[in-house]
């Protein structure tokens, strides 16, 4: 069962939320399953969480959100600020009745998750941060991304071409990575002349600019719920920074997934589950 639920985000933006499995059965009339909200990273979409959402549904009501500018949600001219993303996530938690919620975020979605946990602790029960840095990356990183977007050979003739370019031919790929090709194939849509991304480059760069030019340690320190920081061994979050994030968090824990890059839950789904399931079980039974 795949079910779409429309949510009204900040400024009236229409957001698409998705359930990829039925919630657990066997509960009393007034007993509801603990809520989980899954937040994808920049350029991602809710469907990237489908395998995770399905096993989570054994114990939770798991909902994945297409964030503004992504997936099937509205793609307004703006704003694409941190405040807007956080307000959207809060609206989803409240309108879907998920709170107090466990937030699971990847990359940009992880930053949105910990900012929501810091600003609205009443809504958040626990948090999983997946491969997101708290340090500023700088203006040079933003220029590199702009150059990277301009190198995409859009439109792609076929989805096979999408998979090959992002999995093998992209200059940013150090070694063949079929999972990366599949990840990007999911964010393409067919038009008359071929396959294009479902998002626009401008809003993606604007969204990214809101976190790469400044650090986010202060808000991380304000997250008081149980928090797991997970990194892929070959991801963008280094071990030293991840462990410092755990130290800064009042109730932080550390986890890592071998044989995984930045797309941890996509590169190594079994390792991802093994890394986060014990934490979630502890949160559930606490």
């Amino acid at each position: 069962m795949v079910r779409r639920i429309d949510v009204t985000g900040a400024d009236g933006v229409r957001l698409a939320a998705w359930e990829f499995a039925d919630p657990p059965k066997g509960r009393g009339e007034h007993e509801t399953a603990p809520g989980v909200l899954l937040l994808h990273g920049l350029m991602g979409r809710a469907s990237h969480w489908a395998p995770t959402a399905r096993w989570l549904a054994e114990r939770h009501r798991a909902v994945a959100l297409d964030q503004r500018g992504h997936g099937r949600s509205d793609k307004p001219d703006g704003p694409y600020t941190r405040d807007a993303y956080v307000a959207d996530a809060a609206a989803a938690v409240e309108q879907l009745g998920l709170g107090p919620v466990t937030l699971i975020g990847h990359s940009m979605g992880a930053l949105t998750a910990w900012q929501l946990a810091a600003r609205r602790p009443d809504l958040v029960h626990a948090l999983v941060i997946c491969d997101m840095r708290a340090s500023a990356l700088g203006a040079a990183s933003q220029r590199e991304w702009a150059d990277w977007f301009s190198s995409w050979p859009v439109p792609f003739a076929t989805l096979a071409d999408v998979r090959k370019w992002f999995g093998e031919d992209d200059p940013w790929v150090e070694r063949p990575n079929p999972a990366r090709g599949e990840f990007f194939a999911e964010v393409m849509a067919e038009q008359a002349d071929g396959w294009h991304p479902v998002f626009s480059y401008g809003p993606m760069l604007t969204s990214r600019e809101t976190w790469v030019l400044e650090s986010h340690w202060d808000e991380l320190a304000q997250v008081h719920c149980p928090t797991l920081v997970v990194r892929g061994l070959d991801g963008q979050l280094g071990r030293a920074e991840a462990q410092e994030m755990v130290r800064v968090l009042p109730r932080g824990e550390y986890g890592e997934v071998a044989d995984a890059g930045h797309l941890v839950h996509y590169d190594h789904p079994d390792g991802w589950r093994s890394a986060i399931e014990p934490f979630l079980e502890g949160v559930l039974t606490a």
Side-chain angles (χ1 to χ4, degrees), residues 40-92:
H40 61 73
L42 189 72
M43 303 181 295
R45 66 185 307 170
S47 62
H48 287 141
W49 289 117
T52 298
R54 290 189 179 109
W55 65 256
L56 282 171
E58 297 168 8
R59 301 288 300 278
H60 304 79
R61 183 188 176 198
V63 181
L65 183 68
D66 277 335
Q67 296 174 79
R68 61 175 56 212
H70 296 76
R72 297 287 185 86
S73 288
D74 282 351
K75 298 170 178 63
D77 293 335
Y80 288 95
T81 62
R82 288 282 84 225
D83 287 346
Y85 278 109
V86 174
D88 288 345

Side-chain angles (χ1 to χ4, degrees), residues 207-259:
S207 298
R208 191 173 185 273
E209 188 173 14
T210 64
W211 83 76
V212 299
L213 301 183
E214 57 186 61
S215 65
H216 306 281
W217 293 98
D218 288 347
E219 280 184 301
L220 193 69
Q222 295 168 29
V223 175
H224 291 280
C225 63
T227 302
L228 177 66
V229 178
V230 182
R231 59 181 290 269
L233 214 59
D234 297 318
Q236 297 176 9
L237 175 61
R239 180 180 284 111
E241 183 171 352
Q243 292 176 340
E244 179 64 11
M245 290 169 67
V246 171
R247 189 193 68 79
V248 166
L249 283 158
R251 301 173 68 184
E253 300 180 30
Y254 175 78
E256 63 182 28
V257 180
D259 301 319

Side-chain angles (χ1 to χ4, degrees), residues 12-23:
V13 171
R14 182 187 56 81
L15 304 171
W18 302 86
E19 289 182 286
F20 294 98
D22 292 324

